[in-house]
Every structure is written in structure tokens, then in C-alpha cells.
Amino acid sequence: MKVAVVGATGLVGSKMLQVLTERNFPVTELIPVASEKSVGKEVTFKGKPYKVVNADTAISMKPDVALFSAGGSTSLEWAPKFAAAGITVIDNSSAWRMDPTKKLVVPEINGKTLTPEDKIIANPNCSTIQMVLVLNPLHEKYKINRVVVSTYQSVTGTGVKAVDQLMNERKGVEGEKAYAHRIDLNVIPQIDVFLDNGYTKEEMKMVKETIKIMGDDNIRVTATTVRIPVIGGHSESVNVAFDKEYELADVRAILEKTPGVIVVDDPSKQLYPMPKDAHEKDEVFVGRLRRDETQDKTLNMWIVADNLRKGAATNAVQIAEYLHAQKWI
């Protein structure tokens, strides 16, 4: 089928091309799309060069599906135009996530809510995806009432400019800045802009998206999102309060059976998930499973995933795979 990747020259767009190749998605023709300044450049896909085109040209080429990763303003402007032309859009920006008329999808959790009529499908925030993939099977068994999450997020979540800032600082070279503060040998407790309630936009994304994906308005979520000088993975400390009592062995057994989740949890051997081990992997890793000794029916855990893969590109491709399996694209 014809597949357009909008934002093909960016970090996530490049990763989408890689994941499409690795997962053998049935691409007969690739349409790489980027801003006017990139039009005419070439990207390589499965050893073949493809010229970058603009969005208007891409629509005229009639792709079956378009994977968007070009920022919210681009998605707001162009996704409806692609959809109006009958093209299914899977959008990685925050533009459509909280739109009540659009599905917010992690395929393992709520892929079955999709229909052939869904022409703009939202891909959730990277930090939300890895958390809900672990939380959902536990919610089904024990019913979650509250989640407290603190994130430790890779600079790759910001983009190439942030990676360059980190590496420049590490080499002692002056360069363009993605952050207001130094990131190397530092931790920045701000991701995205601050809102009137004192939380950042990223923190409120985690709150609202978790509820929407898991389909339960009664789950209360509070988040603190933090940028750390790491390339290749987001980590999260998650405290979960359940309505029902649990056994730690049962929690471990549930997670070990959950598709897309790998339990790495052997403190005696210093085994626990770390971003370096999740790098370039599609699974979500969970460990440090332990009872919260200050509160009944409450669990602590540590969740790690590659934010450019399951947190972005892989989840989008998995949505496309689901649509293809249903013969909707």
C-alpha cells in the first residue's frame, strides 16, 4: 500500500521509517513529506531513495495511510485535509488526543474501539503509552483508584536540537539551545510549558490521556515530569493505589503474561529496567515491584521504554497494522 510519513526527516519520522522496515509493513510506495525547506531532499527506505514532497503533493498522490509526526500546528492544519481525501491519518502530535471525536489508541489496550470511519487517530504521549501498558492489566484485576508518577525523560523526547545541546555541553562546545538551562550534569523539572494550575502541559497530558485510554474517569492521576541527560529512553517511578488487595506474586504473573511488557525484577542480582537496555526495543520494561508499606493496597514500580519506539513510532505503526489486519486500509 501507499504510505505517507509526514515529518519524515525528523527524529520520530526517521524512526517510523526504520520501524516500518523492521516490522515488514506492506509498503509498496513510500511518500516522505516534510516542510518546504526539505522538499527535494532524499530519504532512503529499504535501500531505495525517495524524494521528499510537500503535503499538497502527498495528498494528490493518494496514500492509503499517513503517519504524522510533524508537530501539533501541522497536524491541525493538514490532518483534516488528508482525511477529507479519504486518507487515514495516525497522528503522533498532541493536536487530536483530547478531542472527544477522536480515538486515542494503544492497540493492546483499546485497538478494538477503532472503526473504518476513524480517519484521524491519535497516538498518545510517549510517557503515557509506557505507563498505561503496564497499568491496564492491573486495573482489570484490582481496579486502580490513584496513580502518582514521576518521570525521568530522555532528551530525545524534545528532538534533534536537544540531543545536540546535550552533546555540545558534554564536549564544551557552544551551540543552539533547546532548553533554558544546561541539561548535561543536570535535571530539569519542566517538560513543555507551565499551565495556570502550576503543572506543565506534559504532566496534564499524562493525567488526561491515561483516563481516556483506559476508559475510566474515576482513576485519579498526578504527575511530575522531568528531563534528564539521557539519550534513548524514558523512565517512570509509579505508585498505584488499588481498590482491591493484591499479592505481589500475582502482580508479577499478570505482567509477565501481558503482551508487550517484560518484567526485569531481581534486586538480588541488581536487575531492573534501565534506559540503556530498553534502547531500540519495542517492549515496555517493568521492575522494582514492591509493596508501598505506608498505605494498604498500594504498589510501587519502575517502568522504562524507548520513547521513540513504543512511545511514538512503533505504537503508530502498530495502529496501522491493526487497521490493515481489519482490511480498513
Side-chain angles (χ1 to χ4, degrees), residues 263-277 285-289 302 304:
V263 177
V264 182
D265 189 37
D266 190 347
S268 69
K269 294 180 181 169
Q270 297 183 19
L271 288 176
Y272 29 70
M274 292 182 287
K276 73 178 184 64
D277 301 320
F285 298 82
V286 61
R288 298 296 320 277
L289 297 165
W302 178 252
V304 177

Side-chain angles (χ1 to χ4, degrees), residues 95-152:
W96 304 100
R97 289 174 187 157
M98 296 317 298
D99 184 324
T101 67
K102 305 291 183 287
K103 307 277 173 60
L104 183 65
V105 175
V106 177
E108 297 93 331
I109 297 174
N110 61 345
K112 288 181 179 172
T113 64
L114 290 168
T115 70
E117 286 69 48
D118 291 310
K119 285 299 176 190
I120 299 176
I121 301 161
N123 207 40
N125 188 37
C126 47
S127 49
T128 307
I129 289 174
Q130 67 186 70
M131 183 173 76
V132 296
L133 201 59
V134 173
L135 291 184
N136 194 65
L138 300 179
H139 181 57
E140 288 175 353
K141 178 76 184 281
Y142 303 113
K143 196 158 176 54
I144 294 169
N145 62 57
R146 185 168 188 253
V147 177
V148 182
V149 54
S150 297
T151 72
Y152 305 73

